[in-house]
Amino acid sequence: GNNTPIGEKEKKKERRAMGDTVKYSIIVPTYNEQLNIAMLLALIVEAMEEGTKRKEGRKISPSSSTPSYEVIVVDDNSQDQTQQTIQKLQKIEKYRDVLRLKPRKGKLGLGSAYIHGLQFARGEFVILMDADLSHNPKAIPEFIRKQEEGDYDVVTGTRYLASSSSSLSISSRITNSSSSTKSSRKSKIKEQECGVYGWDTRRKLTSRVANYLAHVLLNPGVSDLTGSFRLYRKTTFQALVSSMQSVGYVFQMEIIVRAKRRGFKVAEVPISFVDRVYGSSKLGASEIIGYLKGLVSLFMRI
């Protein structure tokens, strides 16, 4: 007998329909990001809508009115109001079908946060980005365009590649909607195309040295190994993640090196990497030392 109540049936159908139409799953790990998360979400939605509009201009009709993307927030038991903020945002019609919260019991590291989010991802592609506004969501349509252009398996954002064309001006504006009050904070973000803003010399140097060491030891063929703003074909990401051993910041590097070794197609897009707008940076001395240790052990392993 078919005794499923009609309402349940409809819900199931709707869930299935949504699952079919989600193409991009944006996974955002959070820990104490209550000040950033609402702004980030607004910027993601704006960027995705603009990307779709631009496509429609090229006579590609979207499959349905359901958004072709979802935002999966993996929160590591934040001690602030991050989760409550997300729950409030989920009540807003604009975000209701897009925003999904998948919390964890504690601060378990970046690599495992992506893997946790991956379990829930319905998209054909996953986009990984930071919640702290250091990654500008305006870049997402560039990642998508790049992927389509060469049917790439991985598209990674680089902070060190000068843009060859003016069309890649990603951070030319972050948003017009809420101008005056936040403009002073945002002037930091607006700067120019590709680079690292708001970092002191020590952190810039550490990042460059980290990338340089990684290049010398691993020869990966991409200019920015430690960046975490990336798009992956989901099947590629799953295949790479299953053999991963690193956690934390080394994770970013190992996954790119493995992708190259296994012959996946990797492309780069220039992004501007803005330092955290609110909150404090989580890249402490211990993490930098951990990164260097991880780099050496990764070199011994691969």
Side-chain angles (χ1 to χ4, degrees):
N2 197 345
N3 50 10
T4 320
I6 304 282
E8 262 315 295
K9 235 182 183 173
E10 286 308 305
K11 266 189 201 152
K12 263 190 185 154
K13 206 187 284 174
E14 194 179 74
R15 267 204 302 273
R16 220 179 13 249
M18 268 186 85
D20 292 344
T21 54
V22 173
K23 190 171 182 186
Y24 300 99
S25 297
I26 301 166
I27 300 175
V28 183
T30 54
Y31 183 73
N32 294 350
E33 297 290 357
Q34 66 175 23
L35 296 168
N36 297 319
I37 197 69
M39 192 165 154
L40 178 79
L41 187 64
L43 291 171
I44 289 174
V45 169
E46 190 192 1
M48 293 305 278
E49 281 172 2
E50 286 205 353
T52 321
K53 263 185 228 148
R54 226 173 285 163
K55 270 195 170 174
E56 283 168 33
R58 295 196 315 226
K59 297 282 178 285
I60 301 170
S61 62
S63 50
S64 76
S65 58
T66 313
S68 63
Y69 68 99
E70 60 184 356
V71 179
I72 300 169
V73 178
V74 179
D75 184 70
D76 275 6
N77 194 20
S78 286
Q79 299 307 295
D80 64 359
Q81 299 286 305
T82 300
Q83 290 193 27
Q84 292 86 328
T85 306
I86 292 162
Q87 283 156 359
K88 281 179 194 158
L89 289 167
Q90 283 175 320
K91 295 193 175 93
I92 299 169
E93 195 176 338
K94 195 177 178 183
Y95 304 142
R96 193 175 290 142
D97 296 333
V98 176
L99 182 59
R100 304 171 70 200
L101 174 62
K102 299 294 173 188
R104 302 195 295 170
K105 286 194 167 61
K107 203 162 183 283
L108 299 163
L110 212 51
S112 63
Y114 295 136
I115 295 163
H116 180 78
L118 188 63
Q119 297 169 36
F120 305 100
R122 299 176 298 205
E124 186 189 339
F125 297 94
V126 292
I127 294 165
L128 311 182
M129 69 185 299
D130 294 346
D132 57 17
L133 301 178
S134 61
H135 294 155
N136 189 339
K138 283 272 168 284
I140 296 173
E142 295 291 345
F143 278 77
I144 290 171
R145 259 196 294 284
K146 188 65 162 177
Q147 191 285 321
E148 288 173 345
E149 187 186 289
D151 195 29
Y152 293 105
D153 301 303
V154 184
V155 178
T156 179
T158 177
R159 296 161 287 180
Y160 304 124
L161 186 77
S163 160
S164 55
S165 80
S166 56
S167 69
L168 287 172
S169 171
I170 286 149
S171 330
S172 53
R173 77 181 178 88
I174 190 153
T175 178
N176 323 356
S177 52
S178 50
S179 48
S180 56
T181 48
K182 288 176 185 150
S183 64
S184 58
R185 276 195 198 106
K186 282 189 197 151
S187 60
K188 251 202 231 169
I189 294 173
K190 283 169 91 165
E191 303 252 8
Q192 52 210 99
E193 289 185 24
C194 186
V196 184
Y197 305 114
W199 272 22
D200 58 34
T201 320
R202 196 186 70 154
R203 274 183 65 201
K204 262 188 189 160
L205 189 66
T206 308
S207 176
R208 283 276 187 178
V209 168
N211 270 299
Y212 175 72
L213 282 171
H215 275 270
V216 171
L217 294 174
L218 305 163
N219 186 23
V222 271
S223 63
D224 193 355
L225 278 169
T226 50
S228 50
F229 198 175
R230 292 189 186 153
L231 178 151
Y232 294 90
R233 192 184 304 278
K234 188 165 73 178
T235 50
T236 301
F237 192 54
Q238 281 163 331
L240 291 168
V241 152
S242 62
S243 60
M244 294 284 293
Q245 293 178 28
S246 309
V247 291
Y249 289 89
V250 188
F251 179 89
Q252 309 298 351
M253 190 174 54
E254 179 173 347
I255 203 159
I256 276 291
V257 172
R258 283 186 186 278
K260 283 281 192 182
R261 293 274 156 95
R262 289 173 65 164
F264 288 115
K265 285 178 77 177
V266 181
E268 293 191 307
V269 288
I271 55 163
S272 116
F273 181 88
V274 180
D275 206 2
R276 299 172 59 83
V277 179
Y278 303 101
S280 56
S281 175
K282 302 198 178 72
L283 186 60
S286 63
E287 256 140 344
I288 290 165
I289 291 161
Y291 170 88
L292 295 172
K293 277 187 188 156
L295 183 60
V296 171
S297 75
L298 178 58
F299 175 62
M300 309 300 260
R301 263 203 328 266
I302 284 186

